[in-house]
């Protein structure tokens, strides 16, 4: 789990694990990380954590937010980044697990709504369906396991207690969810389709408006990441929390309309 190490003048004050999707930083008591110092605004900054990725955003603070000596408005946090708020410093310590590196690689392969990126996404779409089929095939061979049931009657009764474990592998099948996808409804790439096979897919135009689509066991969610205006779903701006997408929801982001749908 990623964490922040709060320090002042080289003295470590405390460690704060990033357990929430939104961790607010500011002088007022309602913030998750309260820093009672006049150099810190009442609501200074926020850290949005999605899976293994964390984004820092300055909330229009008076004195600004600095990362590694550079003032930022929006910043993708990386291991050992140092956030400076007046005399206070927050060191970001990311997950050291290899899985974290894989997720970061996925994030770096994000999709921006540009023609070249959409063509690349379209080319990848067909192969992406094959791994899904391969996964189902890999589970199927477990079904024949009960074959030894052809043993004598006494052995059958002895094997009855083993039936519940046999049902356990079926759980992942129930957890499987329909694959989501988006189809662009406007712009130069209207009609293009992108399958949402990754845990994280970033959409939008950096510096203008960016959102993240996350794939979770509960379904697909959209979260605002960057930009003065939040994305809209069916004409309504989403809030600060991740928004659960439903089949055929229409998203408008960075001036482009797209439809989210679930594939059968």
């Amino acid at each position: 789990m990623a964490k922040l190490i709060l320090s002042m003048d080289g003295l470590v004050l405390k460690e704060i694990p990033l357990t929430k999707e939104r961790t607010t930083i500011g002088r007022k008591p309602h913030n998750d990380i309260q820093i009672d110092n006049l150099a810190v605004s009442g609501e200074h900054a926020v850290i949005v954590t999605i899976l293994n990725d964390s984004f820092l955003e300055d909330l229009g603070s008076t004195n600004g937010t600095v990362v590694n000596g550079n003032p930022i408005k929006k910043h993708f946090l990386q291991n050992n980044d140092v956030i400076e708020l007046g005399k206070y410093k927050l060191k970001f310590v990311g997950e050291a697990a290899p899985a974290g590196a894989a997720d970061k690689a996925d994030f770096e392969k994000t999709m921006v709504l540009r023609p070249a990126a959409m063509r690349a996404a379209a080319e990848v779409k067909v192969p992406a369906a094959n791994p899904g089929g391969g996964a189902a095939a890999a589970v199927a061979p477990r079904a024949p396991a009960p074959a030894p049931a052809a043993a004598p009657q006494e052995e059958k009764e002895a094997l009855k207690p083993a039936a519940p474990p046999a049902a356990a592998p079926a759980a992942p099948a129930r957890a499987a969810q329909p694959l989501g996808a988006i189809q662009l409804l406007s712009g130069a790439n209207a009609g293009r389709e992108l399958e949402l096979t990754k845990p994280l897919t970033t959409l939008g135009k950096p510096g203008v408006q960016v959102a993240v689509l996350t794939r979770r066991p509960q379904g697909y969610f959209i979260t605002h990441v960057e930009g003065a205006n939040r994305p809209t779903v069916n004409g309504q701006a989403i809030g600060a929390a991740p928004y659960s997408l439903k089949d055929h929801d229409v998203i408008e982001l960075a001036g482009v309309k797209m439809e989210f749908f679930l594939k059968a």
Side-chain angles (χ1 to χ4, degrees):
M1 178 184 299
K3 64 181 178 181
L4 297 172
I5 301 176
L6 177 64
S7 65
M8 184 180 70
D9 297 330
L11 177 65
V12 174
L13 302 178
K14 62 178 176 178
E15 294 187 1
I16 306 108
L18 295 175
T19 57
K20 300 173 63 177
E21 288 188 338
R22 285 180 62 84
T23 302
T24 57
I25 306 169
R27 193 176 69 253
K28 293 182 179 179
H30 67 262
N31 288 284
D32 299 303
I33 301 174
Q34 183 191 9
I35 300 177
D36 191 9
N37 186 281
L38 292 178
V40 179
S41 297
E43 295 175 352
H44 198 103
V46 63
I47 295 176
V48 178
T49 300
I50 303 171
L51 298 178
N52 294 319
D53 295 316
S54 294
F55 307 84
L56 171 68
E57 180 179 4
D58 182 85
L59 297 178
S61 63
T62 303
N63 295 314
T65 302
V66 174
V67 177
N68 302 331
N70 300 310
I72 61 95
K73 290 295 182 184
K74 186 71 186 179
H75 179 76
F76 174 63
L77 288 169
Q78 300 183 60
N79 195 40
N80 293 325
D81 275 352
V82 177
I83 306 165
E84 299 176 40
L85 305 170
K87 293 183 179 181
Y88 291 84
K89 292 184 178 181
L90 285 164
K91 182 178 181 180
F92 176 78
V93 180
E95 290 195 61
D103 289 336
K104 183 174 182 294
D106 277 344
F107 176 82
E108 291 173 345
K109 296 174 183 175
T110 55
M111 187 205 72
V112 178
L113 299 180
R114 294 174 184 162
M118 289 306 299
R119 282 197 297 272
E123 292 171 4
V124 175
K125 184 181 70 173
V126 175
N130 294 333
V139 177
R142 296 188 181 182
Q153 184 62 30
E154 291 182 1
E155 288 188 37
K156 286 184 180 180
E157 293 181 3
L159 290 172
K160 281 182 181 178
R174 288 195 299 270
Q177 57 175 305
L179 179 65
I182 57 171
Q183 183 176 36
L184 299 184
L185 304 178
S186 66
N189 294 298
R192 297 275 186 169
E193 181 181 309
L194 173 71
E195 289 185 346
L196 304 172
T197 58
K198 297 179 181 179
L200 259 175
T201 302
T202 301
L203 302 172
K205 296 178 181 177
V208 179
Q209 193 176 34
V210 177
V212 173
L213 290 179
T214 53
R215 186 184 188 189
R216 310 181 186 182
Q218 303 92 334
Y220 287 85
F221 292 79
I222 182 171
T223 305
H224 173 68
V225 170
E226 180 181 355
N229 299 318
R230 299 183 185 280
T232 64
V233 177
N234 301 326
Q236 298 293 322
I238 65 173
Y243 183 92
S244 177
L245 291 171
K246 299 177 180 60
D247 198 17
H248 299 300
D249 275 350
V250 176
I251 304 166
E252 186 165 359
L253 174 68
V256 177
K257 285 188 176 181
M258 59 196 82
E259 180 183 1
F260 169 80
F261 62 95
L262 298 173
K263 308 192 81 169

